[in-house]
Amino acid sequence: MANELFNSFMTGPDENGRFGDFGGRFVSETLMPLILELQEEYEKAKTDDSFWAEMEDLWTHYVGRPSPLYFAERLTEHLGGAKVYMKRDELNHTGAHKINNVLGQIILARRMGKKRIIAETGAGQHGVATATVCAKFGLQCVVYMGAHDVERQAPNVFRMRLLGAEVIPVTSGRGTLKDAMNDALRDWVTNVRDTFYCIGTVAGPHPYPAMVRDFQSIIGKEVREQMNAAEGRLPDTVIAAIGGGSNAMGLFFPFLDDKDVNIIGVEAGGKGVNAKMEHCASLTGGRPGVLHGNRTYLLQDDDGQILEGFSISAGLDYPGIGPEHAWLHEIGRAKYVAITDVEALEAFQLSCKLEGIIPALEPSHALAHVMKIAPELPRDHIICMNMCGRGDKDIFTVAKALGFEMGEFG
Ligand SMILES: Cc1ncc(COP(=O)(O)O)c(C=O)c1O
């Protein structure tokens, strides 16, 4: 059963939702009863075999899990060092890891009798996953999406509408994920009785960071089993891209107790980690503060105002990071690096050409870091990176960045 994972000693958080100095529950009085109700329901579900049986049935028959672990032979040859494996979570139904978590939250919402689901989305993958599962269960779905993201992720907006969701463009701030999450939280406070807020990453107030991590941990759990079957041992290094940090926590969590496994999170370095904050590398270039109900590393100015940040990738364009990552960073269990837009674009193209896999721009960041370190590592070193999304949604952005007009391809 999936809940065997929780026997690990590094399971955090404490009863107040703290991972060391990070996390917690910084919410208004109106939200507090809802948060506590959710926590209580999740605690019950976590140890309920029938909950996990329903999850596993849907993971298998609806999502298509387990996703394959793939040895990237030509890429490995090309880099000339460590062996590179890809965890193929882009092959999930809806094209990314987001659905792993959405299923868990929606099963929970149904148990709680909630009929209206709201979500925020950046790249649109969490919105699409939420709209998909809502359609499957006949639930009303409202998705908040920054107006800027609505523009750059147009295929996903259409997908959500086809699936019956109402997509609300958010024009406040710079119209990206942070602003969408603000509006979703506002909606939740206003519609407390019938609404369930399905958060798409390991952020938000407790219990969301731990709950989303638990649902995403299926990724790392499968990697452990698949790597043991393929290589007879665990990987030496696991690498994943970080927006809020859910696919990364999902991969990392089952390895936290394996001290010999290196853990690397890759943030969006945008135009470079500089004083102008033209990046979204909250751990590499930010400092602790409070946003969206938890304390974590954030991009902020001297007055503590949240800065917008920048990345070519809509899914990494979040000025914060899940509190558990902030804690893993502080205790030194995981290492966090930043990859620029230019480096990610190079990795995107290499994956297309050498492996026949069009990656999303988010995992292209993880792959770019693999490209940096693999050549320096011995041939018996095993790296596993999470290919957490497919690139269909990004082809317009990539075409523009590479200087093509879409009309030119005919
Ligand atoms: C394909 C893909 N990967 C990664 C992310 C980043 O989210 P997280 O850090 O929660 O995995 C997103 C977010 O939209 C995404 O669509």
Side-chain angles (χ1 to χ4, degrees):
M1 279 276 126
N3 57 9
E4 278 162 20
L5 269 178
F6 307 125
N7 297 330
S8 155
F9 81 86
M10 271 190 121
T11 46
D14 67 16
E15 67 278 10
N16 297 315
R18 296 280 184 156
F19 299 93
D21 287 339
F22 302 101
R25 249 186 317 235
F26 296 85
V27 296
S28 64
E29 271 172 49
T30 10
L31 266 188
M32 202 58 187
L34 286 168
I35 292 285
L36 293 176
E37 187 198 1
L38 174 64
Q39 186 180 341
E40 196 180 315
E41 287 296 328
Y42 179 55
E43 288 305 323
K44 272 194 247 158
K46 219 166 114 169
T47 50
D48 179 349
D49 278 352
S50 72
F51 176 84
W52 291 105
E54 190 175 355
M55 283 286 278
E56 289 189 353
D57 181 58
L58 288 164
W59 271 336
T60 307
H61 300 107
Y62 195 64
V63 176
R65 302 208 72 91
S67 65
L69 180 71
Y70 168 70
F71 172 46
E73 199 172 348
R74 291 193 68 216
L75 185 70
T76 297
E77 243 171 61
H78 174 83
L79 297 175
K83 251 179 140 169
V84 180
Y85 279 85
M86 294 173 175
K87 176 62 170 163
R88 303 287 308 276
D89 250 53
E90 98 281 12
L91 295 178
N92 292 338
H93 180 40
T94 70
H97 63 292
K98 296 287 180 184
I99 198 163
N100 302 330
N101 158 53
V102 168
L103 275 176
Q105 290 197 48
I106 295 214
I107 294 173
L108 207 54
R110 275 161 50 83
R111 286 183 160 219
M112 293 168 76
K114 307 282 183 184
K115 302 262 185 292
R116 180 175 179 267
I117 308 294
I118 58 168
E120 84 296 332
T121 199
Q125 290 302 123
H126 175 61
V128 167
T130 308
T132 299
V133 182
C134 284
K136 179 185 160 35
F137 287 115
L139 298 166
Q140 186 192 349
C141 179
V142 176
V143 179
Y144 289 90
M145 187 169 189
H148 178 58
D149 291 337
V150 167
E151 220 172 276
R152 61 177 167 166
Q153 300 288 319
N156 273 343
V157 176
F158 188 54
R159 241 172 241 145
M160 285 184 266
R161 291 190 169 139
L162 283 174
L163 292 159
E166 181 189 355
V167 180
I168 302 184
V170 176
T171 48
S172 55
R174 226 191 61 203
T176 58
L177 184 55
K178 162 180 77 66
D179 313 302
M181 203 155 173
N182 284 339
D183 276 25
L185 280 163
R186 250 174 242 132
D187 178 317
W188 201 22
V189 178
T190 319
N191 301 290
V192 286
R193 216 172 32 83
D194 66 337
T195 297
F196 185 99
Y197 181 15
C198 180
I199 295 187
T201 192
V202 285
H206 180 62
Y208 282 101
M211 179 172 70
V212 175
R213 170 204 70 194
D214 293 345
F215 294 146
Q216 290 291 2
S217 294
I218 187 70
I219 300 171
K221 184 174 174 262
E222 286 176 5
V223 168
R224 287 183 73 90
E225 287 164 12
Q226 291 168 320
M227 197 61 87
N228 265 322
E231 296 277 354
R233 66 181 182 91
L234 295 181
D236 298 295
T237 301
V238 290
I239 301 186
I242 298 190
S246 70
N247 86 88
M249 263 334 296
L251 175 63
F252 299 169
F253 184 63
F255 292 103
L256 290 183
D257 290 340
D258 300 294
K259 297 289 184 283
D260 292 339
V261 177
N262 302 308
I263 295 179
I264 305 177
V266 183
E267 298 190 291
K271 295 179 183 171
V273 180
N274 53 28
K276 287 195 282 176
M277 296 286 179
E278 292 169 304
H279 61 85
C280 273
S282 325
L283 275 181
T284 319
R287 61 191 164 82
V290 172
L291 178 68
H292 297 146
N294 71 90
R295 183 172 187 275
T296 189
Y297 274 74
L298 303 168
L299 300 185
Q300 50 187 313
D301 66 14
D302 291 343
D303 298 325
Q305 293 298 316
I306 304 304
L307 298 169
E308 298 295 343
F310 175 86
S311 168
I312 191 172
S313 152
L316 303 185
D317 202 345
Y318 182 63
I321 184 165
E324 193 166 6
H325 286 293
W327 177 60
L328 293 174
H329 167 70
E330 288 230 334
I331 63 172
R333 176 64 189 100
K335 180 179 161 185
Y336 294 85
V337 298
I339 281 291
T340 65
D341 290 355
V342 171
E343 290 167 328
L345 276 167
E346 203 182 310
F348 178 100
Q349 294 172 83
L350 199 70
S351 173
C352 294
K353 285 188 187 134
L354 291 184
E355 295 296 344
I357 294 173
I358 303 180
L361 279 168
E362 292 82 9
S364 298
H365 284 70
L367 193 59
H369 192 66
V370 171
M371 285 162 59
K372 271 191 185 170
I373 64 170
E376 310 302 326
L377 291 165
R379 283 175 189 274
D380 61 354
H381 188 104
I382 300 172
I383 298 179
C384 176
M385 61 86 50
N386 195 17
M387 185 55 81
C388 58
R390 62 178 88 127
D392 317 26
K393 69 182 177 58
D394 292 319
I395 54 170
F396 299 101
T397 307
V398 172
K400 199 169 158 200
L402 298 180
F404 293 108
E405 291 291 332
M406 269 305 186
E408 286 174 20
F409 298 123

